[in-house]
Amino acid sequence: MDSKQHIINKSNEAKDIFLPHLSADSVIFGFDQNELKVLLLKMNYRKQWLLPGGYVRKDEDLDEAVVRILKDRVGVAGVYLQEFGVFGKKNRSELYFEDFDETLFHKQRFVSVGYYALFNPDKVSLIPDEFSETCEWIYLSKLPEIELAMDHREIIEKALLTLRETISHKPIGYNLLPEKFTLSELQKLYEIILGKELNRGNFYRKMKNLGILTKLDERRKGGAHKAPDLYSFDEENYLQALENGLNSW
């Protein structure tokens, strides 16, 4: 069965299962080699790249739908998801299915709710769904070189902007860095997200004052210079800061 016929067959099922006109798209950021990357699917149909998105079942909440969609489409579970925007330009998704009849479920006008998450790529084995050729982590620096479908480039840009705004009052790093890390590695993560260099002394002092870090009795070995101290996140304080915000930053 070719990819177009597969979509047509699934369209008939979708009309009974999903709410019309409402979808969700997730921007999952990862951090590797001092670069941010985003999780994308390459579709069998048209061979274009898409965010892992989908539709909301008639019997589930929106947040539940996003969790299910990520699990079904790429095999990702256990991520902290944050809603960040709504995307509703006319023809935002219809044009992707222009080769289909107007009755196709997927070709109807859909307003999409955007979610973003931070996730360590090493913690998951990606599993593409039946509509996709592959799912991969793509570095943000490489996005201009690939063909993104619909308005998904705009959604990614909005998610990154939101992340930069959020970083001043919400902690980051727990799902991006390894269990043990140096303050220099944490600072580099912040600099990559913000797109600018930070003063080392000020950054170190602020991070230590937040109460979300635990200094370990270990040092990073193997470098040419003095071995730096290793840290881990205090999970309880970190989760509390996610919930209530950072008062000391």
Side-chain angles (χ1 to χ4, degrees), residues 24 31 52 81 134 136 149 172 201 205 221:
F31 184 65
L81 291 154
T134 185
E136 298 179 20
I172 64 162
R205 183 174 60 257
K221 300 178 181 179

Side-chain angles (χ1 to χ4, degrees), residues 3-246:
S3 59
K4 186 174 180 180
Q5 185 60 50
H6 183 54
I7 292 175
I8 293 173
N9 293 346
K10 288 297 180 178
S11 170
N12 295 328
E13 299 177 15
K15 293 175 183 178
D16 295 327
I17 299 172
F18 301 112
L19 293 171
H21 311 302
L22 180 64
S23 61
D25 288 295
S26 295
V27 184
I28 312 299
F29 290 114
F31 184 65
D32 181 49
Q33 303 295 322
N34 287 332
E35 280 195 71
L36 280 179
K37 49 189 180 181
V38 64
L39 183 56
L40 296 175
L41 290 159
K42 187 175 185 179
M43 305 298 291
N44 293 321
Y45 173 66
R46 285 195 156 184
K47 307 298 181 181
Q48 293 179 334
W49 293 88
L50 288 165
L51 292 166
Y55 308 110
V56 182
R57 287 175 177 164
K58 295 178 180 179
D59 61 349
E60 67 182 350
D61 294 334
L62 177 58
D63 289 350
E64 293 175 342
V66 177
V67 172
R68 173 187 53 77
I69 290 166
L70 277 177
K71 179 65 176 178
D72 290 349
R73 300 218 63 187
V74 291
V76 170
V79 298
Y80 176 83
L81 291 154
Q82 181 68 46
E83 182 184 329
F84 72 92
V86 177
F87 302 86
K89 289 182 179 178
K90 62 179 181 180
N91 297 325
R92 58 170 297 276
S93 55
E94 296 95 307
L95 290 176
Y96 181 77
F97 297 102
E98 61 184 350
D99 295 337
F100 292 85
D101 184 89
E102 297 297 324
T103 61
L104 186 81
F105 177 83
H106 309 71
K107 195 174 181 179
Q108 307 310 302
R109 182 174 183 178
F110 279 90
V111 173
S112 185
V113 181
Y115 286 74
Y116 78 88
L118 309 174
F119 200 73
N120 188 331
D122 295 334
K123 292 183 178 180
V124 64
S125 297
L126 300 178
I127 306 172
D129 69 352
E130 58 187 318
F131 296 100
S132 308
E133 179 180 298
T134 185
C135 52
E136 298 179 20
W137 292 98
I138 305 295
Y139 287 109
L140 293 188
S141 60
K142 299 295 184 181
L143 286 186
E145 302 173 13
I146 70 172
E147 187 177 5
L148 277 165
M150 304 185 193
D151 57 354
H152 287 198
R153 193 178 302 275
E154 176 186 342
I155 295 176
I156 294 171
E157 292 171 353
K158 174 65 175 178
L160 182 58
L161 178 62
T162 303
L163 178 58
R164 287 173 175 167
E165 294 171 345
T166 303
I167 205 173
S168 63
H169 57 87
K170 295 283 188 180
I172 64 162
Y174 185 81
N175 291 319
L176 292 176
L177 293 172
E179 182 180 353
K180 302 174 183 180
F181 54 87
T182 66
L183 285 177
S184 178
E185 291 166 345
L186 180 59
Q187 179 178 342
K188 188 63 178 179
L189 171 60
Y190 271 74
E191 289 178 336
I192 291 298
I193 291 174
L194 293 171
K196 64 180 182 180
E197 292 185 3
L198 300 173
N199 179 274
R200 183 176 67 175
N202 289 341
F203 180 83
Y204 285 13
R205 183 174 60 257
K206 289 179 178 179
M207 291 305 304
K208 289 178 180 179
N209 288 340
L210 293 178
I212 61 173
L213 299 179
T214 299
K215 185 178 178 180
L216 305 175
D217 294 327
E218 300 179 49
R219 293 177 180 269
R220 172 78 77 226
K221 300 178 181 179
H225 305 287
K226 179 182 176 181
D229 294 320
L230 286 172
Y231 290 79
S232 65
F233 286 108
D234 183 309
E235 184 175 1
E236 182 178 351
N237 289 347
Y238 187 97
L239 294 177
Q240 184 176 350
L242 275 180
E243 185 71 24
N244 301 323
L246 297 171

